[in-house]
Amino acid sequence: MTVVERLRVEQPTDRAFSWAITALITLIGFVIRSVNLAYPNKLVFDETYYAKDAYSLLRFGYEREWPDNANDAIVAGNLDVMKDSAAFIVHPQIGKWLIAFGEYLFGMNSFGWRFSSLVFGALLIFVVIRLVRRISRSTLIGGLAGLLLAFDGLAFVMSRIALLDIFLAVFVVAAVGCLIADRDWFRNKLADHLSGNGLADLGGKYGPALIIRPWRIAAGVCFGLALGTKWNALYPLAAFALLSLAWDVGARRVAGAGVRSSLAIIRDGIPAFVSLVVLSVIIYVASWASWLAGSGGYMRDWGQKHPDALSVRLLGDPLASLLAYNQAIWNFHTGDGIAQATHPYDANPSGWLVLARVIGIDAVLDIPAGTDGCPANAEKCYRVISGIGTPALWWAAVIALVIALILWVGGRDWRFGIPVVGVLSNWLPWFQYSDRPQFLFYAITIIPFSVTAVALVLGRLLGTAADLRSGAAEDQTPAPPPPVPARARPEHARGAPSRALAGLFSAGSLPLDRRAVAAIGIGAFIALVGANFAFIYPILTDGVLTYQQWRARMWIRGWI
């Protein structure tokens, strides 16, 4: 294989079909999430903050305080109860503006404040399908990832309530997708440079600078929107920025830059920092435009009250006030007040991946028999909304992530690094905040990458056409042919033990009968996930269950 062939990235040719599959699976996810979206007709869980903040943004451009009885008044249709004073909020505004868009379209009601979450819940399926298709080079595997995500319980619930995290997940996954597209773009540009100049390789030269990279700029915009929704997007931004830079170094090494490929850390790294980090900060600041433009927001007058502050002299009144406000938000998240807080659904991140503790969104307990849909012969009934992932999918994902780590490190297949880095960068940072209440729904940014790991591993088992060209080969410098044919060498000399698992999952070499068995197994797994989702569906949607039916779905004590 020539250097140009190793660099060249070709996407599957079934473009029209892939978009049809993407649209179909996204539509399926949208439809099942939209059923009875407005129920329950009240503010549940943290909707009490974000739905009201969104309406306040829509009316005034900043968040105002509400009286204690505001929730009942809102449900009754009385919206004129908002106070005149500005509210101290602890998250940026992008997600709340998106919630406000639904309220603008449909009114300040349960359907209105949940509509944007519904749309973004479907968009999350969409971006995962496109991301996995691009890295697997397979529409089948991309569609498989989307279908699994469509039937995940936590993604389902977060698509039906007005919280910020579903927006965060979409922006983060979209940003990663843009970086993967940038990787393909960059390698193709290097290939074009070689073929256009009639070169076999770079011959030890650095190669074209390629400073302006559209997909990397798009990733910076998406990361900025993610930061403008919740600050914890900073961790995947840092992790994937470094991974993207490592891809640049690897691509130049494959192209023949030799020792000069390490210069990419600086020469590609500086433009990458501007495109990702600097642009993200600009987008983040711009997301506060309504607060900056007005005068009534919380701490908006800080600059006027502190005219001699260095930040005011350097940045001006509005930006200095914003900086001080963000410092106050940081102090809230890291201060003693939240560290000493407690919550019945506090879930240590060590148990997130195995669903050790779920989150209660809504609960109506002890419904008498013969009322509210409870059977007359029942002891009592429950209506609950539990934020819980589909167990069959999440538990399989733990195994898939271990396999992905081995295939990335041992098999040197770059594709499997994406779900590993995605999960770790959205999971490990939470351990430093273990002294404060944390909740399973934070893991909504993890499940898209877990599903990616599952789909890629199943793709290797199935033996898709995408794996006929190993992902590991893309980042390996061409080597001279061995002097002795592989068949003549002893088995122990053919590869390191660390590649044993990679060989086990090597596709393209599976006999037809083994591929048929793998296909049957994968079909059974999809059916299992679907059945598991159907079984827990009542506890995702406030369905009426007898006490015995509810307990049958509480497999672990931490789910109660």
Side-chain angles (χ1 to χ4, degrees):
M1 184 181 292
T2 67
V3 170
V4 170
E5 290 173 337
R6 287 179 179 275
L7 288 170
R8 187 72 67 188
V9 178
E10 302 289 347
Q11 290 298 313
T13 57
D14 60 345
R15 186 172 181 178
F17 177 73
S18 76
W19 283 111
I21 289 296
T22 302
L24 177 61
I25 296 175
T26 301
L27 180 61
I28 291 172
F30 180 87
V31 169
I32 63 175
R33 283 156 170 74
S34 65
V35 175
N36 211 14
L37 179 68
Y39 185 84
N41 182 27
K42 61 181 179 180
L43 291 152
V44 298
F45 195 56
D46 282 356
E47 286 185 338
T48 189
Y49 304 114
Y50 305 124
K52 291 185 290 189
D53 285 347
Y55 184 73
S56 179
L57 283 174
L58 195 61
R59 290 280 306 275
F60 305 104
Y62 65 92
E63 297 87 345
R64 284 191 175 186
E65 291 185 324
W66 295 74
D68 293 338
N69 63 344
N71 290 6
D72 293 336
I74 290 170
V75 173
N78 181 14
L79 304 180
D80 296 325
V81 296
M82 203 183 315
K83 296 182 179 180
D84 294 333
S85 54
F88 173 68
I89 54 90
V90 297
H91 293 297
Q93 296 185 340
I94 289 291
K96 288 172 281 187
W97 273 114
L98 291 169
I99 294 171
F101 179 71
E103 294 173 347
Y104 171 78
L105 291 178
F106 301 104
M108 182 57 173
N109 54 63
S110 57
F111 186 87
W113 64 64
R114 292 171 191 157
F115 176 75
S116 292
S117 294
L118 167 66
V119 172
F120 271 72
L123 281 177
L124 185 61
I125 298 171
F126 178 93
V127 294
V128 166
I129 294 173
R130 303 313 295 181
L131 182 150
V132 175
R133 178 183 183 269
R134 178 171 285 276
I135 60 179
S136 67
R137 319 291 191 234
S138 168
T139 298
L140 172 63
I141 302 307
L144 173 62
L147 193 61
L148 291 174
L149 185 60
F151 294 112
D152 174 60
L154 183 62
F156 177 87
V157 169
M158 298 304 292
S159 304
R160 291 169 54 85
I161 55 176
L163 270 63
L164 306 179
D165 302 77
I166 192 68
F167 309 116
L168 172 67
V170 171
F171 290 136
V172 168
V173 176
V176 173
C178 289
L179 287 179
I180 296 167
D182 173 74
R183 179 189 185 276
D184 294 348
W185 180 91
F186 182 66
R187 295 176 75 93
N188 282 330
K189 286 295 183 181
L190 289 178
D192 291 342
H193 173 79
L194 295 178
S195 59
N197 291 278
L199 301 174
D201 56 47
L202 292 176
K205 296 181 180 180
Y206 182 74
L210 300 174
I211 295 175
I212 305 298
R213 295 164 61 163
W215 281 111
R216 186 169 270 174
I217 292 172
V221 172
C222 290
F223 274 127
L225 293 172
L227 287 171
T229 303
K230 270 193 166 184
W231 284 358
N232 41 299
L234 180 63
Y235 297 105
L237 165 59
F240 279 100
L242 294 175
L243 183 61
S244 176
L245 189 57
W247 291 338
D248 286 358
V249 174
R252 291 192 182 275
R253 182 181 296 115
V254 171
V259 295
R260 291 181 180 272
S261 60
S262 60
L263 293 176
I265 297 174
I266 302 298
R267 295 181 62 177
D268 289 329
I270 293 175
F273 180 84
V274 173
S275 297
L276 294 175
V277 179
V278 175
L279 181 57
S280 292
V281 172
I282 293 173
I283 296 296
Y284 175 80
V285 173
S287 73
W288 289 86
S290 65
W291 185 91
L292 291 166
S295 59
Y298 191 87
M299 290 185 67
R300 181 59 185 84
D301 59 352
W302 185 91
Q304 297 176 7
K305 293 179 178 179
H306 302 81
D308 297 328
L310 179 61
S311 60
V312 175
R313 296 200 302 269
L314 293 176
L315 301 174
D317 177 355
L319 290 179
S321 298
L322 179 62
L323 182 62
Y325 191 9
N326 277 254
Q327 181 64 52
I329 295 173
W330 170 261
N331 291 339
F332 169 84
H333 285 296
T334 58
D336 292 337
I338 195 169
Q340 296 172 1
T342 60
H343 197 281
Y345 286 102
D346 183 13
N348 190 284
S350 61
W352 287 0
L353 299 188
V354 294
L355 301 173
R357 182 68 170 151
V358 303
I359 179 71
I361 304 296
D362 185 46
V364 180
L365 307 178
D366 297 330
I367 300 173
T371 64
D372 194 21
C374 184
N377 60 349
E379 176 185 351
K380 58 183 175 180
C381 291
Y382 286 1
R383 282 184 180 271
V384 301
I385 299 177
S386 297
I388 178 175
T390 302
L393 177 59
W394 282 62
W395 295 340
V398 173
I399 300 173
L401 285 166
V402 174
I403 295 172
L405 178 62
I406 296 172
L407 291 173
W408 180 35
V409 177
R412 298 180 63 189
D413 192 328
W414 69 274
R415 296 171 295 185
F416 288 90
I418 294 165
V420 172
V421 172
V423 168
L424 295 181
S425 63
N426 284 285
W427 178 42
L428 294 183
W430 287 105
F431 284 88
Q432 66 184 312
Y433 305 116
S434 58
D435 59 342
R436 53 160 285 182
Q438 299 178 82
F439 307 103
L440 179 66
F441 71 83
Y442 296 166
I444 188 60
T445 55
I446 293 176
I447 186 59
F449 297 104
S450 297
V451 165
T452 298
V454 173
L456 291 178
V457 169
L458 293 180
R460 291 294 288 265
L461 282 172
L462 182 61
T464 62
D467 283 306
L468 295 177
R469 179 178 180 228
S470 173
E474 292 185 13
D475 287 328
Q476 294 178 5
T477 305
V484 180
R487 292 182 181 177
R489 286 183 287 146
E491 183 67 28
H492 67 272
R494 296 183 189 177
S498 62
R499 294 194 178 183
L501 188 60
L504 176 62
F505 284 89
S506 176
S509 59
L510 287 177
L512 183 59
D513 57 340
R514 287 187 58 191
R515 293 186 67 180
V517 171
I520 293 172
I522 291 171
F525 173 70
I526 296 172
L528 175 63
V529 171
N532 196 181
F533 174 77
F535 182 69
I536 65 173
Y537 183 83
I539 64 172
L540 306 176
T541 56
D542 243 344
V544 177
L545 293 172
T546 66
Y547 175 75
Q548 291 76 14
Q549 291 171 332
W550 172 75
R551 282 306 302 259
R553 289 158 174 82
M554 299 294 103
W555 296 350
I556 298 174
R557 184 176 180 82
W559 295 2
I560 298 176

